[in-house]
Amino acid sequence: MIKFLKENVYASYVLTLVRLYLGYEWIQAGWHKLTGAEPFNAQGFLMGAVKKATGDHPVVQSWWANFLDAFAIPNVGLFNFLVPYGEFLVGLGLILGALTTAAAFFGILMNYAFMFSGSTSTNVQMSLLTIFILVAGFNAGKIGLDRWIIPYIKKAVKKDATLEA
């Protein structure tokens, strides 16, 4: 299965469809936050997640709630910037097939942060689909800008390594 995802031309077509779907979902979420009537503010979400760490059946793990309480909430301004721009850029990268693996990685990282905070929504489904993109690597972005970007990066890195030797 892994070889199929990484090398098969038909897999690259299916992965392109998956990539476009995920990219659309991410870009929509980010765009909505960037252009909404009111500025995006993650403070309510973060404080709600901390509250979900209490009770008989907590939805949020205590270690995550401690992280949110000690770091995320005091730095909510950083998260107010990172979340909408991160969602938008992940979506753009997936739609264009540009730095696809990096976009997928940061997308799944955000999805896990949302799930750790007690949100399920489409995060589980999006995480599962993103795993296929991560496993496929370059093949997931082959029908996209990665066809040109990745060889350019590899050539530049190889040239740099040769200069250092």
Side-chain angles (χ1 to χ4, degrees), residues 51-125:
K51 288 179 184 173
K52 292 178 185 176
T54 59
D56 292 338
H57 303 287
V59 175
V60 175
Q61 300 279 324
S62 61
W63 66 270
W64 185 254
N66 290 337
F67 164 75
L68 295 177
D69 202 33
F71 181 76
I73 292 173
N75 296 294
V76 72
L78 175 65
F79 288 89
N80 288 343
F81 174 82
L82 289 177
V83 171
Y85 283 101
E87 288 177 344
F88 184 80
L89 291 173
V90 163
L92 191 63
L94 290 172
I95 287 173
L96 297 175
L99 303 175
T100 304
T101 306
F105 171 77
F106 287 110
I108 203 167
L109 187 68
M110 282 190 291
N111 266 324
Y112 275 104
F114 300 151
M115 289 188 289
F116 284 152
S117 299
S119 174
T120 53
S121 185
T122 61
N123 302 109
V124 177
Q125 165 192 316

Side-chain angles (χ1 to χ4, degrees), residues 5-162:
L5 288 172
K6 287 182 167 287
E7 299 174 5
N8 190 284
V9 67
Y10 298 113
S12 67
Y13 288 109
V14 172
L15 290 163
T16 298
L17 294 174
V18 170
R19 210 183 71 222
L20 291 172
Y21 164 72
L22 290 171
Y24 176 80
E25 292 294 317
W26 280 116
I27 213 163
Q28 284 289 101
W31 186 252
H32 174 73
K33 289 175 181 73
L34 290 169
T35 62
E38 295 182 24
F40 172 72
N41 190 346
Q43 188 161 1
F45 177 80
L46 295 172
M47 291 173 73
V50 171
K51 288 179 184 173
K52 292 178 185 176
T54 59
D56 292 338
H57 303 287
V59 175
V60 175
Q61 300 279 324
S62 61
W63 66 270
W64 185 254
N66 290 337
F67 164 75
L68 295 177
D69 202 33
F71 181 76
I73 292 173
N75 296 294
V76 72
L78 175 65
F79 288 89
N80 288 343
F81 174 82
L82 289 177
V83 171
Y85 283 101
E87 288 177 344
F88 184 80
L89 291 173
V90 163
L92 191 63
L94 290 172
I95 287 173
L96 297 175
L99 303 175
T100 304
T101 306
F105 171 77
F106 287 110
I108 203 167
L109 187 68
M110 282 190 291
N111 266 324
Y112 275 104
F114 300 151
M115 289 188 289
F116 284 152
S117 299
S119 174
T120 53
S121 185
T122 61
N123 302 109
V124 177
Q125 165 192 316
M126 290 174 69
S127 293
L128 179 62
L129 292 172
T130 303
I131 289 170
F132 290 104
I133 292 174
L134 290 172
V135 169
F138 175 69
N139 204 31
K142 193 182 283 185
I143 302 173
L145 295 179
D146 278 350
R147 176 181 291 265
W148 297 281
I149 293 172
I150 299 303
Y152 176 81
I153 291 172
K154 284 182 178 180
K155 184 178 177 182
V157 169
K158 185 177 180 181
K159 184 178 180 181
D160 190 46
T162 306

